[in-house]
Amino acid sequence: MWSDRPSGTKAVRACAFNGSNVRNLYAGALDPRGVVLDSMTDRVYFTDRMSGGNSGKIQSVPLTGGSAIEHLAGLNRPADLRLDSGNRTLYWCEEIAGTIRKAELPPGNGSLTPLTLFSGLATPYYLDFDPTRQKLFWGTSGNSLFSGPMAGGIPDLPLYSSGQNMRGVCVDAAAEMVYWVERDGPRAIRRRAISGGAIHDVYTGLDTPHGLVLDLTARKLYWVDTGTQNANGFNPRGVSRGEMEGSTAGAPEIVVPGTAAHQPWDIDLDLRVSTYGEWVSRYFRYDDTPGRTGKAEDPDADGQSNFAEYAFGTPPLSDIGSAARFSWFTQNDGVWPGLSFRRRTTASDLNYVVEFSLDGVGWLPEQQSPLLHKASAGSADPEGMSWSGVYFRPDGIMPEYVLFRVRVTDRPAG
């Protein structure tokens, strides 16, 4: 989903990963800017920079679209939003006030209670956070990139101060890398190690690049381009994506082509998919062949088919991640062996069945055995994956060993 500010539709919009089903979620804002999805409540939060005079707001709208709810008003030109979903906390910049603030998401759809983390800043604009290092990163509507403690206080020395109109800021904490957009000058998406070093151009030749978001699992980045410079760059006024490694890994792709009427400003992702086709659109290039995207294919040669990677939430183009593991389950009547595995809770086309065997020859599914019991499932993560479990509790002496496996099959439509 992305915000489309005044010269466009004045809306919060959305589409599928393949660019289809472009739609308005809300079209009643005056100047929509930062946008972020809360997948736990299926609500999209956004800032309205000047919702009445110079007083900005934070509002939210259902992911399915509808009426907006106001959560906080009286802001001084709010810009980007970020959500720490694990701690249920929103972070945002107020450009003219020179502040970075946060607020915990309240139960239900109540009001936000803001807390100022940094003040006296020079035009803070876009931001992101690194929970590992407990750092906030932000760029100015100028030439600098900063960091500072998530708890607030005094900013660190500038990470970079030679930019030309800094825009989208994103952190890849695992790779210790910070990404940002320079709207003017190089008109590029750039990155650098958090610790310092050389600056690398990820994608250049853009028009007026702006909002940026990372899909860390699929190793893709998405951006919007306001197209206001008319510089004949790539996909002005549209939504685009590319590889996090940049042009060395593949040319950028057009998700939604730009039109003269639009001016997209910021972007976020709903990483959940409900069908294999949607998953392919998220992970693979649009021009990839069935020889790479087919269910039986294994493009990363890790021994797991694409279908298995889809079902268990592991990436199809890199040999990382765990799909299942042996576990001990503690219950009131003892501790029992079992199997834990990641299940795609949002899938409409998958059927999971856990089976056990005492000899490796005969297998019995959980639905046909009183000895297998479901464990409590964990909550779904932002990608719609959760850990599920089944444990074995004998009606007599525990056998010498128990084997477990999980089978996943296509679920017929309907």
Side-chain angles (χ1 to χ4, degrees):
M1 67 284 312
W2 67 95
S3 54
D4 199 344
R5 60 178 305 263
S7 62
T9 58
K10 300 183 182 181
V12 176
R13 316 189 79 199
C15 72
F17 278 107
N18 64 3
S20 64
N21 192 25
V22 177
R23 61 200 184 276
N24 288 347
L25 302 182
Y26 179 71
L30 292 179
D31 190 353
R33 298 292 181 109
V35 61
V36 69
L37 170 69
D38 177 19
S39 60
M40 183 175 293
T41 61
D42 281 340
R43 295 196 69 84
V44 179
Y45 287 79
F46 63 95
T47 60
D48 194 336
R49 185 172 173 84
M50 293 182 291
S51 58
N54 289 326
S55 177
K57 295 180 180 181
I58 294 177
Q59 299 172 276
S60 73
V61 63
L63 183 56
T64 54
S67 301
I69 294 175
E70 179 183 308
H71 301 281
L72 182 62
L75 307 183
N76 197 342
R77 303 293 179 90
D80 194 23
L81 275 175
R82 289 293 188 192
L83 174 63
D84 179 354
S85 58
N87 292 306
R88 311 290 299 148
T89 301
L90 276 175
Y91 294 84
W92 70 91
C93 297
E94 293 182 40
E95 180 195 3
I96 303 304
T99 59
I100 294 177
R101 308 174 81 184
K102 74 173 185 179
E104 293 183 7
L105 292 181
N109 295 314
S111 299
L112 297 173
T113 301
L115 174 66
T116 299
L117 302 176
F118 296 95
S119 60
L121 305 179
T123 62
Y125 220 43
Y126 281 85
L127 80 165
D128 199 6
F129 62 91
D130 178 352
T132 303
R133 295 167 185 79
Q134 286 293 292
K135 291 280 190 179
L136 286 171
F137 293 78
W138 68 91
T140 67
S141 184
N143 58 10
S144 297
L145 180 66
F146 289 92
S147 64
M150 287 184 70
I154 300 174
D156 304 325
L157 293 175
L159 296 170
Y160 174 60
S161 56
S162 301
Q164 298 190 52
N165 269 337
M166 307 288 281
R167 293 298 186 258
V169 175
C170 293
V171 177
D172 180 356
E176 301 182 354
M177 194 76 65
V178 58
Y179 290 72
W180 70 90
V181 170
E182 291 192 38
R183 175 190 183 276
D184 299 327
R187 305 196 315 276
I189 298 170
R190 315 184 87 177
R191 71 179 183 183
R192 196 203 77 176
I194 293 173
S195 59
I199 293 171
H200 299 278
D201 288 334
V202 182
Y203 286 105
T204 59
L206 309 180
D207 193 286
T208 316
H210 235 261
L212 179 70
V213 67
L214 305 181
D215 182 343
L216 294 170
T217 309
R219 304 303 297 171
K220 294 185 183 294
L221 46 80
Y222 291 71
W223 70 92
V224 291
D225 190 306
T226 63
T228 50
Q229 300 191 92
N230 298 312
N232 297 316
F234 180 79
N235 196 25
R237 300 185 185 271
V239 181
S240 306
R241 74 177 187 180
E243 309 302 320
M244 285 179 62
E245 290 71 23
S247 57
T248 57
E253 298 181 290
I254 293 176
V255 182
V256 178
T259 70
H262 294 159
Q263 194 183 116
W265 200 89
D266 193 26
I267 186 170
D268 197 20
L269 298 175
D270 182 356
L271 298 175
R272 299 169 296 181
V273 297
S274 60
T275 67
Y276 183 79
E278 291 178 359
W279 179 82
V280 167
S281 294
R282 178 185 164 197
Y283 278 92
F284 292 87
R285 289 184 59 87
Y286 299 146
D287 58 3
D288 261 328
T289 64
R292 280 172 52 83
T293 65
K295 291 183 177 180
E297 304 302 325
D298 181 14
D300 59 1
D302 65 351
Q304 298 293 320
S305 68
N306 282 337
F307 184 73
E309 308 261 30
Y310 163 59
F312 296 115
T314 51
L317 302 177
S318 57
D319 183 12
I320 59 174
S322 175
R325 63 192 181 200
F326 174 82
S327 299
W328 291 99
F329 292 88
T330 301
Q331 305 296 317
N332 292 335
D333 54 353
V335 179
W336 310 105
L339 180 74
S340 295
F341 63 96
R342 275 164 50 90
R343 179 195 299 264
R344 189 172 296 280
T345 62
T346 55
S348 61
D349 55 359
L350 295 175
N351 186 51
Y352 298 82
V353 177
V354 178
E355 299 176 329
F356 83 97
S357 175
L358 301 180
D359 57 12
V361 178
W363 292 87
L364 196 62
E366 56 186 296
Q367 294 91 336
Q368 298 179 21
S369 174
L371 304 182
L372 285 188
H373 303 268
K374 288 186 181 296
S376 298
S379 58
D381 65 20
E383 298 197 21
M385 303 299 303
S386 72
W387 283 97
S388 297
V390 172
Y391 61 92
F392 177 84
R393 186 174 62 192
D395 56 4
I397 298 174
M398 178 67 72
E400 184 177 354
Y401 61 85
V402 184
L403 303 175
F404 299 92
R405 69 184 183 187
V406 56
R407 289 192 305 109
V408 187
T409 57
D410 282 305
R411 177 187 296 169

